C-alpha cells in the first residue's frame, strides 16, 4: 500500500470513525465500518461478518438478525451504543477493503472534476478526499463553488479559507484547512 493511501485511510477513519458492528447513522441508515451505508439486508449479507463470540463466519440469517435488530433501534445515537444489539463484527481487513473501494471511486470522480488532481500536492489531495468522502463528489462541486474554483486555480490559501463544512467537528475542519495551508510551502 502506498504512503498516500496509508495517510488517507488514517485521515478518513479519524474523521468518520471506524465501527466494526452495524449501527444506525444520523438518518437512520444501517451502517458499518467507515461510514459504509448498508441499504438492505442483502448488502449486509454480501459482507464477511464474523460471530463476535467465536470468530466463525456468520450465516445469512445471523446477518439478517443483526441488521433487523439494529434497524429497530432509535437512530442517531453514538455508534458504540448499537453494539449491544449485535452479535457480529466485520474484520479490519474487510473494513479496509470497503474503504479502499470507496476511495477509488471518489478519486476517479475527482480526476474528472479536477483534471490536474494527480499533480496537486499530497496535502491538497488528502484535503479534497476528506471533503468528498463527507460530501460526495457532487456535493463538493455544488456546495463549495468558491473552493472548487480555487482548487482549479491552484489557490491553496483560498481553498483553506473556503473549506469549512457545517455539521463537522471543528477539529476535522481545522485539519482540512491545515492540509490546504501545507501546500503553500
Amino acid at each position: 500500500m502506498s504512503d498516500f493511501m496509508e495517510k488517507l485511510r488514517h485521515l478518513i477513519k479519524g474523521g468518520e470513525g471506524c465501527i466494526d458492528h452495524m449501527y444506525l447513522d444520523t438518518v437512520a441508515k444501517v451502517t458499518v465500518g467507515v461510514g459504509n451505508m448498508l441499504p438492505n439486508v442483502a448488502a449486509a449479507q454480501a459482507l464477511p461478518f464474523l460471530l463476535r463470540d467465536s470468530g466463525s463466519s456468520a450465516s445469512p440469517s445471523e446477518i439478517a438478525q443483526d441488521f433487523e435488530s439494529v434497524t429497530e433501534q432509535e437512530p442517531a445515537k453514538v455508534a458504540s451504543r448499537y453494539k449491544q444489539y449485535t452479535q457480529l463484527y466485520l474484520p479490519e481487513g474487510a473494513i479496509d477493503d470497503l474503504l479502499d473501494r470507496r476511495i477509488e471511486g471518489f478519486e476517479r470522480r475527482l480526476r474528472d472534476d479536477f483534471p490536474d488532481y494527480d499533480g496537486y500536492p499530497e496535502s491538497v489531495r488528502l484535503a479534497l478526499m476528506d471533503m468528498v468522502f463527507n460530501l460526495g463528489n457532487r456535493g463538493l462541486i455544488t456546495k463549495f463553488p468558491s473552493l472548487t474554483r480555487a482548487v482549479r486555480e491552484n489557490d491553496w490559501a483560498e481553498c483553506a479559507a473556503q473549506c469549512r463544512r457545517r455539521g463537522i467537528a471543528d477539529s476535522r475542519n481545522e485539519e482540512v484547512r491545515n492540509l490546504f495551508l501545507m501546500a503553500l510551502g
Side-chain angles (χ1 to χ4, degrees), residues 39-183:
N40 52 45
V41 171
Q45 290 169 329
L47 299 176
F49 280 99
L50 302 176
L51 290 164
R52 193 175 298 118
D53 292 340
S54 67
S56 53
S57 296
S59 69
S61 64
E62 289 166 329
I63 294 170
Q65 182 180 352
D66 262 23
F67 188 94
E68 295 304 325
S69 177
V70 168
T71 301
E72 294 169 357
Q73 306 310 312
E74 189 176 342
K77 300 294 181 188
V78 175
S80 60
R81 178 183 178 278
Y82 298 95
K83 186 173 184 175
Q84 65 187 313
Y85 305 107
T86 66
Q87 60 179 335
L88 310 176
Y89 73 96
L90 195 59
E92 185 177 356
I95 290 171
D96 286 344
D97 288 345
L98 281 172
L99 177 59
D100 291 350
R101 284 197 299 272
R102 292 181 68 203
I103 285 171
E104 288 170 13
F106 285 134
E107 260 196 322
R108 259 193 317 277
R109 291 185 295 279
L110 277 172
R111 286 183 180 101
D112 292 339
D113 295 330
F114 304 103
D116 296 331
Y117 172 82
D118 289 314
Y120 294 157
E122 180 180 85
S123 63
V124 169
R125 290 183 289 132
L126 288 169
L128 287 172
M129 283 299 300
D130 185 85
M131 292 188 74
V132 81
F133 202 91
N134 172 246
L135 299 163
N137 292 81
R138 182 166 166 74
L140 175 67
I141 301 300
T142 60
K143 295 177 183 177
F144 288 83
S146 297
L147 178 118
T148 298
R149 186 172 34 262
V151 170
R152 290 180 178 144
E153 294 171 357
N154 296 345
D155 185 346
W156 312 133
E158 184 62 17
C159 288
Q162 298 294 331
C163 67
R164 184 163 205 76
R165 294 162 282 177
R166 291 184 181 169
I168 296 296
D170 288 341
S171 59
R172 186 173 181 186
N173 274 324
E174 190 63 23
E175 187 171 15
V176 168
R177 180 181 172 278
N178 287 333
L179 285 168
F180 281 122
L181 291 175
M182 284 175 59

